[in-house]
């Protein structure tokens, strides 16, 4: 669902969930993701067969919240008002689970299936043959709330970098896209001692000079780039034509729908000398103006930008943007995030380092009862539930803090 960042991070979460539950992951042909990504499973396919009646089964499948509510009613009536299933009866409830279920974990669904993240829910789901998972969220932090899953995740990823390892395995572009990625890297970035990625989200498709100023301030405040001197010089150290100058010491890759953010930063270093007299090259792989999810060429450029950003030595990304957080997660970098994005608050830091090295679960379970579990399993304040998961700093949602 939604833009390429959302699609990629939700695919990673679906795959990790399939590993945790010993399921085979298959992708709906509606997604069209096979246009861009290689099938990572040799001698197999991760797409549902053409003749599989997915839409029919999905439309007739019970939603998770409906199934769990009806199960709670049965448990209460069968066990004298008690809401938990005795261990001796669990196997029969698992055997009676629907053969297909549908979880919809999206930001704007009032019936959010957040009891998906409860321990007994997952035990019951083990009796379901076909589990339809539809999401645009980064649900991996929520999987840590389930003790069995948490143990496995900590065993597999002791540094809490599951998104990095899984995305690098799963999200491999087709050869024609990989050629464009590698060609651009070799032309503009290869062998440059310092490589900086800056992702600037244009929410309304417009250009804001205040954001350009914030980009520049952030880079200087965090010592990603040298400070430019006030008086303009004649030596064109920077680059306005996307042609790589000789002996580049710092390359900056700007990923944005609007080319002005790259142009303004390039102009600043092309028309001013800087402290240290470093050669700074500012480049962009694409400038699309508008987000056009579903348009093949647009989606291809998004994947190219995400992969290129993931190669950088350090990253600055935009709050709320899954595009930037997907790239930082693939890179294994805890990025800098713009602070008060676009508000031009010059008396506050332009950006700051966050605490999570990947995406954030933006609309997360909070004050969420686990109706079929003891009270201790309920998700009250998710920031205090397990040590691996905390509120993201300078970004909405829950993140997995890097060990």
């Amino acid at each position: 669902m939604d833009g390429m960042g959302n699609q990629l991070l939700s695919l990673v979460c679906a795959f990790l969930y399939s590993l945790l539950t010993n399921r085979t992951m298959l992708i709906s042909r509606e997604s069209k993701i096979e246009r861009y990504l290689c099938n990572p499973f040799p001698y197999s396919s991760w797409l549902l067969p053409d003749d599989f009646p997915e839409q029919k089964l999905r439309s007739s499948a019970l939603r998770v919240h409906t199934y769990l509510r009806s199960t709670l009613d049965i448990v209460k009536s069968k066990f004298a008002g008690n809401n938990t299933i005795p261990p001796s009866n669990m196997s029969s409830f698992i055997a009676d689970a629907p053969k297909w279920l549908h979880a919809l974990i999206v930001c704007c669904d009032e019936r959010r299936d957040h009891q998906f993240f409860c321990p007994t829910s997952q035990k019951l789901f083990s009796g379901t043959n076909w589990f339809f998972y539809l999401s645009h969220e980064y649900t991996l932090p929520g999987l840590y709330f389930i003790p069995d899953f948490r143990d496995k995740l900590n065993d597999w990823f002791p540094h809490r970098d599951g998104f990095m390892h899984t995305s690098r395995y799963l999200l491999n572009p087709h050869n024609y896209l990989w050629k464009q990625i590698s060609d651009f890297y070799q032309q503009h970035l290869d062998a440059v001692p310092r490589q900086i990625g800056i992702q600037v989200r244009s929410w309304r498709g417009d250009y804001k000079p205040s954001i350009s100023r914030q980009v520049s301030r952030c880079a200087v405040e965090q010592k990603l780039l040298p400070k430019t001197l006030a008086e303009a010089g004649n030596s064109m150290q920077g680059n306005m034509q996307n042609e790589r100058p000789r002996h580049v010491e710092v390359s900056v890759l700007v990923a944005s729908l609007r080319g002005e953010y790259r142009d303004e930063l390039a102009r600043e270093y092309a028309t001013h000398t800087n402290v240290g007299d470093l050669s700074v090259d500012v480049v962009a792989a694409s400038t699309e103006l508008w987000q056009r999810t579903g348009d093949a060429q647009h989606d291809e450029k998004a994947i190219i930008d995400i992969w290129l950003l993931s190669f950088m030595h350090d990253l600055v990304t935009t709050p709320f943007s899954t595009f930037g957080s997907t790239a930082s997660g693939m890179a294994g970098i805890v990025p800098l995030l713009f602070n008060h994005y676009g508000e031009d608050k010059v008396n506050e830091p332009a950006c700051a380092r966050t605490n999570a090295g990947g995406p954030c679960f933006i609309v997360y379970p909070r004050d969420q009862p686990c109706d079929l579990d003891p009270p201790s399993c309920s998700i009250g304040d998710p920031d205090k539930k397990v040590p691996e998961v905390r509120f993201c700093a300078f970004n909405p949602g829950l993140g997995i803090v890097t060990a």
Side-chain angles (χ1 to χ4, degrees):
M1 294 178 65
D2 295 338
M4 188 52 64
N6 293 88
Q7 292 183 47
L8 296 180
L9 63 84
S10 62
L11 180 60
V12 168
C13 292
F15 180 59
L16 282 169
Y17 179 66
S18 75
L19 294 178
L20 289 166
T21 56
N22 295 315
R23 292 183 179 274
T24 298
M25 184 184 76
L26 293 166
I27 304 175
S28 167
R29 288 184 176 268
E30 291 180 1
S31 74
K32 309 299 181 189
I33 201 70
E34 75 277 6
R35 292 176 178 173
Y36 317 114
L37 301 183
C38 297
N39 169 31
F41 308 110
Y43 314 110
S44 184
S45 173
W46 60 349
L47 294 177
L48 282 168
D50 280 324
D51 59 351
F52 185 80
E54 183 218 345
Q55 289 187 344
K56 179 181 178 181
L57 291 182
R58 179 150 50 104
S59 62
S60 63
L62 279 178
R63 277 280 299 274
V64 159
H65 76 276
T66 303
Y67 163 59
L68 294 175
R69 186 176 59 214
S70 65
T71 302
L72 177 64
D73 292 340
I74 294 169
V75 171
K76 284 184 173 180
S77 65
K78 192 171 183 177
F79 302 110
N82 196 331
N83 69 308
T84 58
I85 303 171
S88 59
N89 295 89
M90 182 62 73
S91 59
S92 64
F93 276 86
I94 292 172
D96 291 338
K99 295 310 173 189
W100 46 86
L101 275 173
H102 186 191
L104 183 62
I105 304 175
V106 298
C107 67
C108 308
D109 178 57
E110 293 181 357
R111 302 173 297 173
R112 294 172 191 147
D113 288 331
H114 282 172
Q115 286 204 59
F116 177 90
F117 302 102
C118 297
T120 296
S121 301
Q122 290 298 329
K123 290 179 182 178
L124 294 172
F125 298 161
S126 66
T128 296
N129 297 55
W130 291 90
F131 198 95
F132 296 98
Y133 176 89
L134 184 65
S135 180
H136 58 184
E137 285 275 13
Y138 181 58
T139 56
L140 183 57
L143 298 180
Y144 278 88
F145 297 153
I146 301 160
D148 288 347
F149 292 178
R150 180 186 172 215
D151 289 344
K152 287 184 180 180
L153 289 167
N154 283 331
D155 185 38
W156 296 345
F157 309 113
H159 299 292
R160 303 175 192 167
D161 50 4
F163 185 86
M164 180 188 74
H165 290 292
T166 309
S167 62
R168 291 181 181 184
Y169 172 77
L170 199 68
L171 308 180
N172 291 294
H174 281 303
N175 287 348
Y176 76 96
L177 286 176
W178 189 249
K179 185 177 188 307
Q180 295 179 61
I181 293 167
S182 56
D183 285 352
F184 185 93
Y185 187 88
Q186 289 167 11
Q187 182 179 355
H188 296 285
L189 302 162
D190 193 25
V192 176
R194 186 144 177 78
Q195 301 171 18
I196 307 299
I198 301 178
Q199 181 256 339
V200 186
R201 185 68 163 94
S202 178
W203 293 110
R204 298 179 180 178
D206 55 343
Y207 166 69
K208 292 185 175 181
S210 62
I211 294 178
S212 273
R213 292 191 292 270
Q214 187 170 10
V215 168
S216 181
R217 282 202 304 119
C218 167
V220 172
E221 287 174 3
Q222 298 294 331
K223 297 180 170 51
L224 303 177
L225 292 176
K227 185 176 182 179
T228 55
L229 302 178
E231 53 278 349
N234 294 322
S235 61
M236 301 295 287
Q237 294 184 36
N239 168 27
M240 298 300 297
Q241 283 78 40
N242 245 356
E243 295 175 0
R244 180 173 169 180
R246 295 180 181 179
H247 310 303
V248 174
E249 293 163 285
V250 184
S251 277
V252 183
L253 172 67
V254 177
S256 179
L257 293 170
R258 299 294 306 213
E260 292 94 333
Y261 295 113
R262 179 262 169 195
D263 294 343
E264 285 303 308
L265 191 62
R267 185 175 293 110
E268 181 176 353
Y269 284 89
T271 58
H272 295 76
T273 55
N274 63 74
V275 176
D277 199 29
L278 297 179
S279 174
V280 177
D281 189 28
V282 185
V283 297
S286 67
T287 50
E288 290 285 279
L289 292 180
W290 300 96
Q291 182 169 325
R292 300 191 305 277
T293 300
D295 177 272
Q297 289 187 338
H298 177 81
D299 289 343
E300 288 169 3
K301 290 178 180 178
I303 289 175
I304 290 169
D305 271 339
I306 288 172
W307 264 97
L308 286 169
L309 285 171
S310 79
F311 296 148
M312 300 299 99
H313 301 153
D314 208 346
L315 287 171
V316 184
T317 62
T318 305
F320 273 101
S321 174
T322 56
F323 188 102
S325 63
T326 298
S328 67
M330 290 175 66
I333 288 174
V334 178
L336 292 154
L337 280 165
F338 291 115
N339 187 28
H340 299 296
Y341 185 56
E343 295 181 18
D344 216 11
K345 294 191 175 184
V346 295
N347 294 324
E348 298 187 29
C351 59
R353 190 76 62 183
T354 186
N355 57 344
C360 299
F361 189 173
I362 294 176
V363 182
Y364 49 85
R366 183 170 192 166
D367 298 324
Q368 173 63 58
C370 289
D371 292 335
L372 293 163
D373 291 284
S376 61
C377 294
S378 294
I379 305 166
D381 182 352
D383 188 57
K384 299 176 181 177
K385 185 71 176 172
V386 292
E388 298 87 349
V389 176
R390 290 289 182 266
F391 289 137
C392 295
F394 308 105
N395 212 9
L398 292 175
I400 300 167
V401 293
T402 303

